[in-house]
Amino acid sequence: MTQTPDRQTQLGAWLGHPPHPLTGQAELAAAWIATPLGEMVCVTDPHRLHLLEFIERRALPRELRRLSKSAKGRIGLGHNALTDRVEAQLSAYFAGKTADFDLPLALHGTAFQKQVWHELMRLPAGAQISYSDLARRLDRFDATRAVAGANGANQIALVIPCHRVLGADGSLTGYGGGLWRKEALIRHERTAFAGRPA
């Protein structure tokens, strides 16, 4: 995985400061990963995945700046063994081999958001759910809007499968990576994974 000077410039623009020179310590490493649906940015430390987003996501600069602030600016361009593991699992997912991601996650959110994200990770590939049904699963019948907000705040795409949530009428609703990608992901999972044992 080659990281070009252009990516160094792009990362700096998103962060609002020059990328930190990585020394292999506990810094956050940002790397680009190519997928059939476009490039993603993956941010890891040596032990956990912090962010995985399509590069066109409008909220990406804000998410990266928040991560940089929590890491005291120690976020730079590079990859580590965990980045390689993320890339391998994405490759297996898009090849239709498995939809099971086995990655250690750093979840940056409120207790309620984390509850929603954990529930999303229980949804099998090929399945969809509405925001209201997801709220009911959490015994929060009045929290459909809050569930939608938590879904939108997810910054670990695919691994936390927010693309599996639809409107109450089954329609595609907002997706940070673009509705065309949401549709493509649902179609891919129906074709490759639906009906497989969980």
Side-chain angles (χ1 to χ4, degrees):
M1 183 186 325
T2 305
Q3 305 297 335
T4 66
D6 287 346
R7 289 178 175 171
Q8 187 91 1
T9 302
Q10 180 64 73
L11 181 60
W14 283 334
L15 292 172
H17 64 77
H20 179 74
L22 299 182
T23 62
Q25 302 302 313
E27 304 110 336
L28 296 179
W32 270 242
I33 295 178
T35 80
L37 295 181
E39 287 190 310
M40 301 185 83
V41 170
C42 170
V43 178
T44 58
D45 64 29
H47 308 290
R48 297 178 301 167
L49 173 63
H50 291 256
L51 179 143
L52 182 65
E53 294 280 22
F54 289 102
I55 62 171
E56 296 92 351
R57 178 168 162 87
R58 218 176 270 174
L60 181 59
R62 184 175 69 247
E63 291 170 346
L64 286 168
R65 285 177 182 156
R66 192 165 53 236
L67 279 179
S68 179
K69 184 176 180 184
S70 69
K72 298 181 171 50
R74 294 171 63 83
I75 180 169
L77 191 66
H79 68 278
N80 51 38
L82 182 54
T83 314
D84 295 337
R85 196 169 147 199
V86 173
E87 188 171 30
Q89 292 192 21
L90 283 172
S91 179
Y93 168 81
F94 281 110
K97 294 177 181 174
T98 180
D100 296 328
F101 291 96
D102 176 23
L103 298 164
L105 306 181
L107 300 179
H108 300 277
T110 66
F112 177 75
Q113 288 172 333
K114 291 175 186 177
Q115 191 180 10
V116 171
W117 299 335
H118 281 294
E119 193 62 33
L120 283 172
M121 286 188 281
R122 295 178 58 194
L123 281 177
Q128 286 85 47
I129 193 170
S130 70
Y131 295 106
S132 55
D133 285 341
L134 189 52
R136 278 193 284 276
R137 279 195 184 194
L138 298 169
D139 292 325
R140 295 288 300 272
F141 301 93
D142 59 344
T144 300
R145 281 180 179 270
V147 164
N151 205 56
N154 171 33
Q155 61 185 36
I156 303 179
L158 305 183
V159 178
I160 300 174
C162 56
H163 61 276
R164 295 178 191 155
V165 185
L166 304 176
D169 61 356
S171 62
L172 293 180
T173 54
Y175 183 64
L179 284 182
W180 72 271
R181 278 198 181 97
K182 183 170 187 168
E183 184 176 21
L185 289 167
I186 289 171
R187 188 169 56 247
H188 168 64
E189 292 186 354
R190 283 179 178 159
T191 303
F193 305 117
R196 286 194 191 176

